[in-house]
């Protein structure tokens, strides 16, 4: 798979950090030409991390106000080509499901060895499900010991396509606690607070 979508069931599971790690590893270790795309237009963590808040980004290209060449920013330290979110939008699903988004992904597929697309969590919004058909595989990030299995199962079911899920990353694993609880342990803890203020403008 060349185009990898990264998502999670709920916010704050570390999906953006994993996205960046995948991109940097592919570029630095494997020497691949890598594109890192911030498609979480509601909570653009990658855009902020690379200081691209005021730069044109994916939203601007999708709206037709910027060309692809103007939204690609090469990180000098890692060599990763970062495509920030760009301008704010009130309609992320419409943009992600547009023909222009399809053309953008096809451009990346043709011009890069590896493409990592960070998308919002599946639980609160439909953005990740809309983006999924354009990706080859979807990688699911789950916070160990926090996110209940039922929540993960329901989120995975919302990703369309047979065999679309490449795998699950258990993030924030406490190895000491994992050894203590054993192979089949997990927590049912889950609260609506995960959604609160996540998408506040």
């Amino acid at each position: 798979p060349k185009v990898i979508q990264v998502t999670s069931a709920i916010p704050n599971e570390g999906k953006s950090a994993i996205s960046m790690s995948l991109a940097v590893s592919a570029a630095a270790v494997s020497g691949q030409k890598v594109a890192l795309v911030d498609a979480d237009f509601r909570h653009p963590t990658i855009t902020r991390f690379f200081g691209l808040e005021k730069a044109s980004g994916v939203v601007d290209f999708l709206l037709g106000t910027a060309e692809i060449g103007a939204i690609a920013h090469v990180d000098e330290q890692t060599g990763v080509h970062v495509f920030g979110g760009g301008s704010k939008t009130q309609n992320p699903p419409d943009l992600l499901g547009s023909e222009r988004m399809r053309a953008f992904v096809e451009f990346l597929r043709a011009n890069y060895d590896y493409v990592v697309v960070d998308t919002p969590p599946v639980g609160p919004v439909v953005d990740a499900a809309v983006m999924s058909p354009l990706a080859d595989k979807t990688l699911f990030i789950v916070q160990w010991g926090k996110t209940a299995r039922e929540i993960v199962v329901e989120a995975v079911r919302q990703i369309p396509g047979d065999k679309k899920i490449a795998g699950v990353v258990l993030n924030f694993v406490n190895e000491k606690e994992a050894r203590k609880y054993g192979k089949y342990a997990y927590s049912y803890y889950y609260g609506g607070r995960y959604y609160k203020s996540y998408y506040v403008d």
Side-chain angles (χ1 to χ4, degrees), residues 34 36 50 52 54-57 68-76 79-84 112:
V34 180
L36 175 61
F50 287 97
L52 300 175
K54 297 181 179 180
S56 296
I68 291 180
I71 66 173
H73 305 275
V74 181
D75 180 56
E76 295 182 359
V80 173
H81 291 220
V82 182
F83 293 82
Y112 290 88

Side-chain angles (χ1 to χ4, degrees), residues 24-180:
V24 170
S25 295
V29 179
S30 302
Q32 294 178 302
K33 185 179 180 182
V34 180
L36 175 61
V37 181
D38 193 344
D40 189 343
F41 304 147
R42 305 169 190 266
H43 194 75
T45 301
I46 289 174
T47 301
R48 290 196 296 268
F49 181 86
F50 287 97
L52 300 175
E53 297 96 324
K54 297 181 179 180
S56 296
V58 180
V59 169
D60 302 285
F61 170 76
L62 297 178
L63 292 174
T65 58
E67 297 299 322
I68 291 180
I71 66 173
H73 305 275
V74 181
D75 180 56
E76 295 182 359
Q77 186 174 357
T78 64
V80 173
H81 291 220
V82 182
F83 293 82
S87 301
K88 290 186 177 182
T89 174
Q90 299 297 319
N91 302 297
D94 291 342
L95 291 180
L96 291 172
S98 67
E99 283 301 316
R100 200 162 172 85
M101 183 65 184
R102 184 179 297 276
F104 175 57
V105 173
E106 289 307 311
F107 170 85
L108 297 176
R109 190 187 298 276
N111 289 275
Y112 290 88
D113 300 316
Y114 192 54
V115 181
V116 180
V117 184
D118 184 40
T119 57
V122 175
V125 291
V126 301
D127 303 21
V130 172
M131 172 64 203
S132 180
L134 301 181
D136 298 325
K137 289 289 185 178
T138 298
L139 190 62
F140 233 88
I141 314 303
V142 176
Q143 185 173 355
W144 182 87
K146 284 284 188 179
T147 311
R149 291 183 183 184
E150 293 83 355
I151 301 299
V152 177
V153 169
E154 180 58 30
V156 167
R157 286 174 178 165
Q158 294 183 47
I159 299 296
D162 185 39
K163 299 180 180 178
K164 176 66 72 170
I165 305 296
V168 174
V169 174
L170 287 179
N171 207 13
F172 301 108
V173 175
N174 184 320
E175 294 184 10
K176 182 178 178 181
E177 291 297 309
R179 287 194 298 269
K180 182 172 70 174

